Amino acid sequence: MTRALLPDLSPWKASADFRRLWKSGLISNFGSFLTFVALPVQLKELTGSAAAVGAVGAVELLPLVVCGLYGGALADALDKRGLIVWTELGQGLLSAVLLVNALLPGPAVWPLYAVAALSSALVSVQRPALDSLWPRIVAHDDMPAAASLNSLRWTVGGVAGPALAGVVVAYAGLGWAYAADLLTFAVSLAFILRIAPSPASHEAAKPNLRAVAEGARYAWSRKELLGTYVVDLAAMFLAMPLAVLPFLADELHAEWSLGLMYAALPAGALVVSLTSGWTSPVHRHGLMVVLSAAGWGLAVAAAGICGNVWLVLLLLTVGGGFDMVSGVFRAAMWNQTIPDELRGRLAGIELLSYSVGPQLGQVRAGGLAAWAGVRTSVWSGGLACAGVMGLLALGLPGLMSYDARTNAHAVRMRERRAAAAEV
């Protein structure tokens, strides 16, 4: 029984490039989460405004949309490893800018927004390349296991990074958090450079608007994929509370808990990742996506209602676990059913589905908190999320009935990869 709960390590054992990419992501994510906490804290210190903190999501939105779609076309048309290397280097340079600004006698506000926008652009170009590289280095039937291991990589950094950032920012200063992030990018690059080149498929289209439109048409033809995008977009827009956590900690008279609040969501995801062995035999991926998104909303709503900081931390942890379950099964559906020559462009669309929601959610949470109060912003969004998931369950029959064993696209991709392995 215990062994069945442990993560399936098949992708780790079978692929050296999977291990290198996994280690690179772990290190890079750890540093990014340091900045993830430090930047809103610095904005709070400089402006004292919840709306100003929430506005980070607004400045990140346009580059996310534009570069996400075009980044998907680039991922299909260029060497994926090279694209990852250059964008990783660019993000390291942006960490250096934050470090220099933090060390100034009077740090400016505008560089924080500028770096947030540029970082959003680089991440939007990099993520489609990363997401379309995994299916090339992992066996088809190992995709759910790879998704769980990738979530484990993300959550380890997500737990340790914010928890450490809270301590570092409080006792050492913002500069140390930004400096540590810069160092992690350098180490991450060393692993990425050892990965084998991953050139474009001979069937891939040139990176232009026509290629982007082709990917969009394919996504539109796949209603179960559209369902996963809509579910995640709604869940993150309505219930993501990150922008108001610094103010929630103040309202609960527990300023010391801010780092733990940021770490709570990935901590819940980490628990799911460490016990993810149960996900491999599950085939009704769409059903699990919807149910777990509803659980996420209910947990966030309860966190907004509670006045005890320890109970809030527990509920945020539970919410993070539900969100990770949804993420694991979304990734399995995407990676097991999308053709290689379209994988980058679809990864760009997926990036919008799981990134635009949180960015708009920050604006929603910050604006509503300024108008109606911090806790109202949190609990009302969570309840709205759960209610919307109920409506989507009724309106998305293709998603609810998806079965990885019988879905025509999953069967076709399984046969295609098996034939390629025999050549």
Side-chain angles (χ1 to χ4, degrees):
M1 179 67 176
T2 301
R3 188 170 183 177
L5 290 175
L6 294 177
D8 184 350
L9 298 180
S10 299
W12 179 276
K13 296 175 182 177
S15 173
D17 278 347
F18 178 88
R19 294 193 295 272
R20 295 183 184 112
L21 201 57
W22 193 95
K23 293 173 184 176
S24 167
L26 173 65
I27 295 166
S28 179
N29 285 346
F30 178 81
S32 296
F33 274 109
L34 289 174
T35 296
F36 181 73
V37 173
L39 192 147
V41 169
Q42 189 173 19
L43 269 175
K44 175 178 175 287
E45 291 178 353
L46 294 175
T47 68
S49 167
V53 176
V56 171
V59 302
E60 292 175 336
L61 183 58
L62 181 60
L64 179 66
V65 173
V66 174
C67 296
L69 290 173
Y70 191 65
L74 288 174
D76 281 335
L78 303 177
D79 181 87
K80 302 180 195 304
R81 187 196 66 170
L83 202 55
I84 295 168
V85 167
W86 284 107
T87 50
E88 193 81 354
L89 179 61
Q91 290 180 77
L93 293 175
L94 292 179
S95 294
V97 172
L98 290 175
L99 173 60
V100 171
N101 184 60
L103 295 177
L104 293 175
V109 171
W110 69 264
L112 304 183
Y113 289 112
V115 167
L118 291 171
S119 179
S120 176
L122 288 173
V123 169
S124 299
V125 172
Q126 184 186 76
R127 283 302 296 266
L130 280 169
D131 290 346
S132 58
L133 180 57
W134 295 114
R136 286 191 170 187
I137 60 178
V138 175
H140 180 87
D141 290 338
D142 286 341
M143 290 298 180
S148 296
L149 289 174
N150 285 334
S151 71
L152 176 62
R153 164 186 59 84
W154 181 85
T155 54
V156 168
V159 172
L164 180 60
V167 176
V168 170
V169 170
Y171 295 102
L174 292 161
W176 283 98
Y178 295 138
D181 190 14
L182 177 58
L183 178 62
T184 61
F185 279 119
V187 177
S188 172
L189 271 172
F191 281 107
I192 296 173
L193 289 170
R194 296 181 60 203
I195 295 172
S198 184
S201 168
H202 69 280
E203 300 172 345
K206 293 181 179 180
N208 52 34
L209 291 178
R210 180 179 295 178
V212 173
E214 182 185 1
R217 284 194 298 270
Y218 177 82
W220 183 258
S221 72
R222 296 280 309 280
K223 302 308 181 187
E224 71 277 24
L225 290 186
L226 286 178
T228 66
Y229 305 152
V230 172
V231 166
D232 196 43
L233 185 65
M236 294 299 100
F237 170 68
L238 293 170
M240 179 57 76
L242 292 178
V244 299
L245 291 185
F247 301 91
L248 181 61
D250 288 348
E251 191 164 308
L252 295 173
H253 307 292
E255 293 82 357
W256 53 267
S257 69
L258 178 59
L260 295 177
M261 285 187 179
Y262 278 114
L265 294 175
L270 178 61
V271 172
V272 170
S273 300
L274 290 173
T275 58
S276 61
W278 65 271
T279 63
S280 293
V282 176
H283 304 287
R284 295 289 301 280
H285 297 168
L287 176 64
M288 294 301 297
V289 167
V290 174
L291 291 178
S292 52
W296 150 259
L298 292 174
V300 171
I305 294 171
C306 291
N308 181 283
V309 65
W310 292 108
L311 190 52
V312 168
L313 290 170
L314 175 61
L315 288 165
L316 290 175
T317 303
V318 171
F322 277 119
D323 185 46
M324 181 51 63
V325 173
S326 177
V328 166
F329 288 111
R330 288 197 313 270
M333 287 181 65
W334 299 338
N335 291 330
Q336 286 186 326
T337 66
I338 298 172
D340 181 72
E341 64 273 13
L342 287 165
R343 191 66 192 88
R345 280 164 285 176
L346 270 292
I349 296 173
E350 291 151 16
L351 174 70
L352 298 185
S353 78
Y354 61 69
S355 298
V356 170
Q359 307 309 327
L360 291 176
Q362 289 190 70
V363 178
R364 181 209 63 82
L368 187 57
W371 174 63
V374 172
R375 291 173 65 182
T376 299
S377 172
V378 177
W379 68 255
S380 63
L383 286 181
C385 171
V388 167
M389 290 308 123
L391 295 175
L392 290 176
L394 297 174
L396 297 171
L399 177 63
M400 297 297 289
S401 62
Y402 176 89
D403 191 316
R405 296 166 298 186
T406 58
N407 177 267
H409 299 281
V411 171
R412 187 179 303 116
M413 284 302 300
R414 185 180 300 112
E415 294 173 347
R416 183 173 173 179
R417 297 194 68 183
E422 294 174 358
V423 175

Tab-separated table of all heavy atoms in Angstrom, residues 350-395:
chain	number	residue	atom	x	y	z
A	350	GLU	N	-1.530	26.481	-23.459
A	350	GLU	CA	-1.642	25.981	-22.084
A	350	GLU	C	-1.050	26.975	-21.100
A	350	GLU	O	-1.584	27.188	-20.001
A	350	GLU	CB	-0.937	24.629	-21.967
A	350	GLU	CG	-1.638	23.511	-22.719
A	350	GLU	CD	-0.677	22.427	-23.193
A	350	GLU	OE1	0.454	22.380	-22.687
A	350	GLU	OE2	-1.058	21.649	-24.085
A	351	LEU	N	0.081	27.585	-21.489
A	351	LEU	CA	0.706	28.589	-20.631
A	351	LEU	C	-0.277	29.708	-20.315
A	351	LEU	O	-0.367	30.165	-19.170
A	351	LEU	CB	1.944	29.156	-21.322
A	351	LEU	CG	2.635	30.325	-20.613
A	351	LEU	CD1	3.304	29.848	-19.346
A	351	LEU	CD2	3.651	30.980	-21.538
A	352	LEU	N	-1.023	30.137	-21.319
A	352	LEU	CA	-2.014	31.184	-21.074
A	352	LEU	C	-3.081	30.697	-20.105
A	352	LEU	O	-3.522	31.436	-19.226
A	352	LEU	CB	-2.669	31.611	-22.387
A	352	LEU	CG	-1.742	32.220	-23.446
A	352	LEU	CD1	-2.562	32.711	-24.630
A	352	LEU	CD2	-0.924	33.357	-22.867
A	353	SER	N	-3.490	29.439	-20.239
A	353	SER	CA	-4.574	28.932	-19.401
A	353	SER	C	-4.175	28.888	-17.935
A	353	SER	O	-4.985	29.160	-17.061
A	353	SER	CB	-5.019	27.549	-19.880
A	353	SER	OG	-4.127	26.527	-19.472
A	354	TYR	N	-2.903	28.515	-17.651
A	354	TYR	CA	-2.527	28.421	-16.235
A	354	TYR	C	-1.748	29.619	-15.729
A	354	TYR	O	-1.396	29.669	-14.541
A	354	TYR	CB	-1.768	27.119	-15.946
A	354	TYR	CG	-0.464	26.898	-16.675
A	354	TYR	CD1	0.663	27.663	-16.402
A	354	TYR	CD2	-0.342	25.873	-17.607
A	354	TYR	CE1	1.865	27.433	-17.062
A	354	TYR	CE2	0.849	25.638	-18.276
A	354	TYR	CZ	1.945	26.425	-17.988
A	354	TYR	OH	3.148	26.197	-18.632
A	355	SER	N	-1.499	30.628	-16.586
A	355	SER	CA	-0.773	31.809	-16.139
A	355	SER	C	-1.601	33.078	-16.196
A	355	SER	O	-1.480	33.931	-15.312
A	355	SER	CB	0.490	32.001	-16.986
A	355	SER	OG	1.363	30.906	-16.850
A	356	VAL	N	-2.433	33.230	-17.223
A	356	VAL	CA	-3.266	34.426	-17.302
A	356	VAL	C	-4.222	34.478	-16.117
A	356	VAL	O	-4.451	35.543	-15.527
A	356	VAL	CB	-4.044	34.454	-18.632
A	356	VAL	CG1	-5.101	35.556	-18.615
A	356	VAL	CG2	-3.084	34.694	-19.794
A	357	GLY	N	-4.767	33.327	-15.740
A	357	GLY	CA	-5.684	33.283	-14.600
A	357	GLY	C	-5.068	33.847	-13.333
A	357	GLY	O	-5.648	34.735	-12.688
A	358	PRO	N	-3.884	33.368	-12.909
A	358	PRO	CA	-3.263	33.936	-11.713
A	358	PRO	C	-2.944	35.424	-11.834
A	358	PRO	O	-3.079	36.173	-10.859
A	358	PRO	CB	-1.980	33.108	-11.572
A	358	PRO	CG	-2.295	31.809	-12.204
A	358	PRO	CD	-3.198	32.150	-13.356
A	359	GLN	N	-2.511	35.866	-13.032
A	359	GLN	CA	-2.199	37.286	-13.193
A	359	GLN	C	-3.457	38.139	-13.029
A	359	GLN	O	-3.469	39.137	-12.306
A	359	GLN	CB	-1.556	37.548	-14.557
A	359	GLN	CG	-0.346	36.695	-14.883
A	359	GLN	CD	0.694	36.702	-13.785
A	359	GLN	OE1	0.897	37.683	-13.089
A	359	GLN	NE2	1.365	35.582	-13.614
A	360	LEU	N	-4.535	37.765	-13.725
A	360	LEU	CA	-5.788	38.489	-13.561
A	360	LEU	C	-6.331	38.314	-12.147
A	360	LEU	O	-6.958	39.229	-11.590
A	360	LEU	CB	-6.813	37.991	-14.582
A	360	LEU	CG	-6.538	38.338	-16.041
A	360	LEU	CD1	-7.586	37.684	-16.939
A	360	LEU	CD2	-6.522	39.843	-16.245
A	361	GLY	N	-6.072	37.135	-11.568
A	361	GLY	CA	-6.511	36.898	-10.201
A	361	GLY	C	-5.848	37.836	-9.211
A	361	GLY	O	-6.463	38.245	-8.212
A	362	GLN	N	-4.588	38.183	-9.456
A	362	GLN	CA	-3.921	39.144	-8.580
A	362	GLN	C	-4.607	40.504	-8.644
A	362	GLN	O	-4.803	41.168	-7.625
A	362	GLN	CB	-2.456	39.288	-8.984
A	362	GLN	CG	-1.600	38.078	-8.670
A	362	GLN	CD	-0.136	38.373	-8.864
A	362	GLN	OE1	0.464	39.123	-8.100
A	362	GLN	NE2	0.461	37.805	-9.901
A	363	VAL	N	-4.951	40.913	-9.868
A	363	VAL	CA	-5.646	42.195	-10.026
A	363	VAL	C	-7.006	42.133	-9.334
A	363	VAL	O	-7.400	43.070	-8.612
A	363	VAL	CB	-5.807	42.530	-11.520
A	363	VAL	CG1	-6.563	43.844	-11.692
A	363	VAL	CG2	-4.444	42.613	-12.194
A	364	ARG	N	-7.745	41.027	-9.549
A	364	ARG	CA	-9.054	40.880	-8.907
A	364	ARG	C	-8.936	40.900	-7.391
A	364	ARG	O	-9.663	41.623	-6.700
A	364	ARG	CB	-9.699	39.562	-9.345
A	364	ARG	CG	-11.088	39.313	-8.755
A	364	ARG	CD	-11.405	37.839	-8.588
A	364	ARG	NE	-10.505	37.173	-7.657
A	364	ARG	CZ	-10.661	37.214	-6.334
A	364	ARG	NH1	-11.670	37.880	-5.783
A	364	ARG	NH2	-9.820	36.587	-5.546
A	365	ALA	N	-8.001	40.098	-6.863
A	365	ALA	CA	-7.861	39.999	-5.410
A	365	ALA	C	-7.431	41.323	-4.802
A	365	ALA	O	-7.977	41.758	-3.774
A	365	ALA	CB	-6.846	38.900	-5.070
A	366	GLY	N	-6.454	41.997	-5.419
A	366	GLY	CA	-5.997	43.269	-4.875
A	366	GLY	C	-7.062	44.345	-4.964
A	366	GLY	O	-7.278	45.103	-4.002
A	367	GLY	N	-7.753	44.433	-6.091
A	367	GLY	CA	-8.790	45.449	-6.245
A	367	GLY	C	-9.956	45.230	-5.303
A	367	GLY	O	-10.456	46.178	-4.676
A	368	LEU	N	-10.422	43.975	-5.184
A	368	LEU	CA	-11.545	43.686	-4.302
A	368	LEU	C	-11.158	43.874	-2.843
A	368	LEU	O	-11.962	44.331	-2.021
A	368	LEU	CB	-12.046	42.258	-4.540
A	368	LEU	CG	-13.326	41.852	-3.795
A	368	LEU	CD1	-14.466	42.806	-4.131
A	368	LEU	CD2	-13.710	40.417	-4.130
A	369	ALA	N	-9.904	43.552	-2.499
A	369	ALA	CA	-9.444	43.755	-1.127
A	369	ALA	C	-9.445	45.233	-0.766
A	369	ALA	O	-9.805	45.620	0.360
A	369	ALA	CB	-8.044	43.166	-0.951
A	370	ALA	N	-9.040	46.084	-1.701
A	370	ALA	CA	-9.033	47.527	-1.441
A	370	ALA	C	-10.442	48.073	-1.275
A	370	ALA	O	-10.658	49.054	-0.553
A	370	ALA	CB	-8.314	48.250	-2.585
A	371	TRP	N	-11.421	47.414	-1.932
A	371	TRP	CA	-12.800	47.909	-1.896
A	371	TRP	C	-13.623	47.285	-0.767
A	371	TRP	O	-14.343	47.976	-0.042
A	371	TRP	CB	-13.470	47.629	-3.239
A	371	TRP	CG	-14.926	47.969	-3.277
A	371	TRP	CD1	-15.481	49.206	-3.117
A	371	TRP	CD2	-16.016	47.067	-3.472
A	371	TRP	NE1	-16.851	49.141	-3.208
A	371	TRP	CE2	-17.209	47.835	-3.424
A	371	TRP	CE3	-16.109	45.692	-3.692
A	371	TRP	CZ2	-18.479	47.263	-3.582
A	371	TRP	CZ3	-17.359	45.125	-3.860
A	371	TRP	CH2	-18.522	45.900	-3.806
A	372	ALA	N	-13.502	45.953	-0.597
A	372	ALA	CA	-14.389	45.250	0.333
A	372	ALA	C	-13.665	44.617	1.514
A	372	ALA	O	-14.314	44.088	2.412
A	372	ALA	CB	-15.174	44.171	-0.415
A	373	GLY	N	-12.344	44.628	1.506
A	373	GLY	CA	-11.605	44.015	2.602
A	373	GLY	C	-10.849	42.778	2.152
A	373	GLY	O	-11.266	42.091	1.211
A	374	VAL	N	-9.764	42.498	2.833
A	374	VAL	CA	-8.874	41.413	2.435
A	374	VAL	C	-9.563	40.057	2.533
A	374	VAL	O	-9.571	39.269	1.589
A	374	VAL	CB	-7.598	41.434	3.295
A	374	VAL	CG1	-6.748	40.194	3.024
A	374	VAL	CG2	-6.792	42.697	3.020
A	375	ARG	N	-10.169	39.775	3.662
A	375	ARG	CA	-10.744	38.448	3.857
A	375	ARG	C	-11.962	38.226	2.959
A	375	ARG	O	-12.204	37.118	2.468
A	375	ARG	CB	-11.077	38.235	5.322
A	375	ARG	CG	-9.808	38.133	6.172
A	375	ARG	CD	-10.072	38.100	7.641
A	375	ARG	NE	-10.795	36.910	8.047
A	375	ARG	CZ	-11.187	36.661	9.302
A	375	ARG	NH1	-10.925	37.539	10.257
A	375	ARG	NH2	-11.821	35.554	9.599
A	376	THR	N	-12.734	39.276	2.717
A	376	THR	CA	-13.852	39.161	1.780
A	376	THR	C	-13.358	38.815	0.387
A	376	THR	O	-13.956	37.995	-0.324
A	376	THR	CB	-14.648	40.470	1.736
A	376	THR	OG1	-15.186	40.745	3.032
A	376	THR	CG2	-15.782	40.384	0.720
A	377	SER	N	-12.241	39.437	-0.004
A	377	SER	CA	-11.653	39.142	-1.300
A	377	SER	C	-11.303	37.660	-1.428
A	377	SER	O	-11.507	37.046	-2.476
A	377	SER	CB	-10.398	39.994	-1.507
A	377	SER	OG	-9.708	39.616	-2.666
A	378	VAL	N	-10.800	37.074	-0.341
A	378	VAL	CA	-10.358	35.680	-0.378
A	378	VAL	C	-11.545	34.720	-0.394
A	378	VAL	O	-11.662	33.862	-1.277
A	378	VAL	CB	-9.421	35.378	0.809
A	378	VAL	CG1	-9.029	33.899	0.815
A	378	VAL	CG2	-8.166	36.246	0.731
A	379	TRP	N	-12.474	34.865	0.592
A	379	TRP	CA	-13.535	33.858	0.685
A	379	TRP	C	-14.543	33.948	-0.455
A	379	TRP	O	-15.055	32.925	-0.922
A	379	TRP	CB	-14.227	33.896	2.041
A	379	TRP	CG	-15.076	35.093	2.383
A	379	TRP	CD1	-14.769	36.106	3.236
A	379	TRP	CD2	-16.406	35.380	1.904
A	379	TRP	NE1	-15.796	37.019	3.315
A	379	TRP	CE2	-16.811	36.587	2.518
A	379	TRP	CE3	-17.273	34.749	1.022
A	379	TRP	CZ2	-18.052	37.182	2.279
A	379	TRP	CZ3	-18.520	35.328	0.774
A	379	TRP	CH2	-18.894	36.536	1.395
A	380	SER	N	-14.824	35.159	-0.927
A	380	SER	CA	-15.795	35.276	-2.010
A	380	SER	C	-15.259	34.665	-3.302
A	380	SER	O	-16.002	34.026	-4.064
A	380	SER	CB	-16.165	36.741	-2.227
A	380	SER	OG	-15.038	37.504	-2.639
A	381	GLY	N	-13.960	34.850	-3.550
A	381	GLY	CA	-13.364	34.248	-4.742
A	381	GLY	C	-13.380	32.731	-4.687
A	381	GLY	O	-13.643	32.065	-5.696
A	382	GLY	N	-13.104	32.168	-3.521
A	382	GLY	CA	-13.116	30.716	-3.381
A	382	GLY	C	-14.488	30.118	-3.611
A	382	GLY	O	-14.641	29.105	-4.313
A	383	LEU	N	-15.516	30.748	-3.042
A	383	LEU	CA	-16.873	30.248	-3.239
A	383	LEU	C	-17.300	30.369	-4.702
A	383	LEU	O	-17.951	29.464	-5.247
A	383	LEU	CB	-17.849	31.016	-2.344
A	383	LEU	CG	-17.817	30.687	-0.852
A	383	LEU	CD1	-18.866	31.503	-0.105
A	383	LEU	CD2	-18.043	29.195	-0.614
A	384	ALA	N	-16.941	31.492	-5.334
A	384	ALA	CA	-17.281	31.657	-6.752
A	384	ALA	C	-16.616	30.573	-7.598
A	384	ALA	O	-17.221	30.040	-8.530
A	384	ALA	CB	-16.849	33.045	-7.225
A	385	CYS	N	-15.371	30.226	-7.256
A	385	CYS	CA	-14.659	29.179	-7.986
A	385	CYS	C	-15.393	27.849	-7.887
A	385	CYS	O	-15.615	27.169	-8.901
A	385	CYS	CB	-13.236	29.053	-7.428
A	385	CYS	SG	-12.325	27.615	-8.052
A	386	ALA	N	-15.780	27.462	-6.674
A	386	ALA	CA	-16.466	26.184	-6.495
A	386	ALA	C	-17.782	26.162	-7.266
A	386	ALA	O	-18.131	25.151	-7.896
A	386	ALA	CB	-16.713	25.929	-5.007
A	387	GLY	N	-18.511	27.274	-7.245
A	387	GLY	CA	-19.773	27.331	-7.964
A	387	GLY	C	-19.591	27.224	-9.472
A	387	GLY	O	-20.341	26.510	-10.159
A	388	VAL	N	-18.596	27.901	-9.990
A	388	VAL	CA	-18.327	27.848	-11.427
A	388	VAL	C	-17.919	26.438	-11.849
A	388	VAL	O	-18.286	25.972	-12.936
A	388	VAL	CB	-17.249	28.884	-11.810
A	388	VAL	CG1	-16.731	28.638	-13.215
A	388	VAL	CG2	-17.813	30.298	-11.697
A	389	MET	N	-17.160	25.733	-10.995
A	389	MET	CA	-16.772	24.361	-11.346
A	389	MET	C	-17.996	23.458	-11.476
A	389	MET	O	-18.043	22.563	-12.332
A	389	MET	CB	-15.816	23.787	-10.286
A	389	MET	CG	-14.443	24.421	-10.277
A	389	MET	SD	-13.653	24.447	-11.905
A	389	MET	CE	-13.361	26.204	-12.091
A	390	GLY	N	-19.000	23.686	-10.641
A	390	GLY	CA	-20.235	22.918	-10.773
A	390	GLY	C	-20.915	23.155	-12.114
A	390	GLY	O	-21.389	22.220	-12.761
A	391	LEU	N	-20.931	24.402	-12.552
A	391	LEU	CA	-21.524	24.733	-13.844
A	391	LEU	C	-20.723	24.136	-14.997
A	391	LEU	O	-21.286	23.634	-15.978
A	391	LEU	CB	-21.622	26.250	-13.998
A	391	LEU	CG	-22.567	26.970	-13.018
A	391	LEU	CD1	-22.477	28.479	-13.214
A	391	LEU	CD2	-23.998	26.479	-13.196
A	392	LEU	N	-19.385	24.196	-14.886
A	392	LEU	CA	-18.546	23.645	-15.945
A	392	LEU	C	-18.685	22.130	-16.036
A	392	LEU	O	-18.595	21.557	-17.126
A	392	LEU	CB	-17.087	24.026	-15.703
A	392	LEU	CG	-16.745	25.511	-15.891
A	392	LEU	CD1	-15.289	25.780	-15.539
A	392	LEU	CD2	-17.039	25.955	-17.316
A	393	ALA	N	-18.881	21.472	-14.909
A	393	ALA	CA	-19.078	20.017	-14.936
A	393	ALA	C	-20.301	19.658	-15.775
A	393	ALA	O	-20.320	18.634	-16.477
A	393	ALA	CB	-19.225	19.477	-13.508
A	394	LEU	N	-21.335	20.497	-15.718
A	394	LEU	CA	-22.540	20.259	-16.513
A	394	LEU	C	-22.346	20.645	-17.969
A	394	LEU	O	-22.928	20.025	-18.866
A	394	LEU	CB	-23.710	21.060	-15.926
A	394	LEU	CG	-24.136	20.693	-14.499
A	394	LEU	CD1	-25.207	21.670	-14.015
A	394	LEU	CD2	-24.634	19.261	-14.431
A	395	GLY	N	-21.506	21.657	-18.217
A	395	GLY	CA	-21.378	22.176	-19.566
A	395	GLY	C	-20.239	21.607	-20.389
A	395	GLY	O	-20.084	21.957	-21.561
